[in-house]
Amino acid sequence: MPSPTGCCPTSGTWAAGSGPRATRCGALALLREEGLITRRRGVGTTVLLPKYAHGLDRLTGLAEELTGRGTVTNEVRVAVEVPALPAAIASRLEVPAGAGGVYVERLRRLDGLPLSLDTSYLTADVGRAVLAGDLRDRDVFGLIEEAAGARLGRAEVAVHAVNADPGTARLLGIGPGAAVFALERLTRLADGRPVDAESIRIRADRMALRATLRRGGPRTS
């Protein structure tokens, strides 16, 4: 059995165990072929967590994308109205910094294990209504649509690979400096008005980002 750190017994320990050695080695080989474990010299055998796909070719929240794939829970770490927005955020939301807004930070878990750290700055009018909603059990996109009385239309998305800072790493249960996906998304209502500037840090060992691409059409910047 794996240890709490995710590491399996060493080859020597397996060899000393009960049952034919060939059977035990065959079981390890099968688990490796199925992508359930990995082996590295000097490290040993490590259990791999299941990796889930998140499509980037449609506008859905992460919780919506994970429907039916396990139990998703949100720890609401911060949900407050702010009197002034950071200049860069105000520029993205196309409002004056002094207009203020709402800041929400949530730690998302899938089947009890940390998956992502999500932060959002919302415009003040939409954000105030979102604060009154169920941020623990619902996706922010649904709350925004209810607050605005309109559907979301589109989003601009950028994905980077970054090293987790110590605070993010601690919350996500990974080592400082471990690779994470940094997803930056600006979401707009159907009329084009931006209402949600998000920054999401996603454990790269737990999720794959996928899209279906078609050749042709105008190039986007």
Side-chain angles (χ1 to χ4, degrees):
M1 293 294 291
S3 72
T5 62
C7 294
C8 288
T10 63
S11 297
T13 303
W14 276 84
S18 60
R21 178 186 176 89
T23 300
R24 296 194 299 277
C25 291
L28 283 175
L30 179 61
L31 292 172
R32 188 165 58 248
E33 290 173 5
E34 293 181 351
L36 299 176
I37 63 172
T38 184
R39 300 196 69 188
R40 292 174 55 194
R41 185 179 298 276
V43 175
T45 302
T46 303
V47 177
L48 297 177
L49 294 171
K51 186 171 286 192
Y52 300 89
H54 181 17
L56 294 179
D57 44 10
R58 59 180 184 149
L59 183 54
T60 58
L62 193 54
E64 294 173 327
E65 193 74 18
L66 293 170
T67 299
R69 302 187 187 184
T71 302
V72 178
T73 58
N74 297 299
E75 176 190 337
V76 182
R77 294 179 47 77
V78 183
V80 296
E81 190 168 351
V82 294
L85 295 168
I89 296 295
S91 177
R92 293 178 68 195
L93 291 175
E94 300 175 10
V95 296
V102 165
Y103 176 74
V104 176
E105 178 180 302
R106 301 192 300 177
L107 178 63
R108 179 171 285 118
R109 293 183 174 88
L110 179 61
D111 290 334
L113 295 176
L115 175 66
S116 67
L117 180 64
D118 306 7
T119 62
S120 284
Y121 279 98
L122 305 165
T123 56
D125 58 333
V126 170
R128 291 188 188 103
V130 168
L131 283 179
D134 185 0
L135 285 166
R136 188 176 70 87
D137 293 322
R138 293 193 56 192
D139 197 278
V140 166
F141 279 180
L143 295 174
I144 290 174
E145 290 179 328
E146 289 180 5
R151 297 278 292 174
L152 293 171
R154 70 181 193 273
E156 293 99 55
V157 178
V159 181
H160 311 272
V162 301
N163 299 112
D165 61 76
T168 298
R170 177 179 55 81
L171 291 172
L172 292 179
I174 55 179
V180 295
F181 292 121
L183 189 150
E184 309 294 335
R185 179 164 58 191
L186 179 66
T187 304
R188 301 173 182 268
L189 296 174
D191 63 5
R193 181 166 74 98
V195 291
D196 181 13
E198 289 179 276
S199 181
I200 308 174
R201 297 295 184 265
I202 304 171
R203 282 183 54 159
D205 62 337
R206 300 211 64 199
M207 181 158 285
L209 304 177
R210 296 180 179 174
T212 299
L213 306 179
R214 293 175 174 82
R215 187 167 176 79
R219 176 178 295 180
T220 58
S221 59

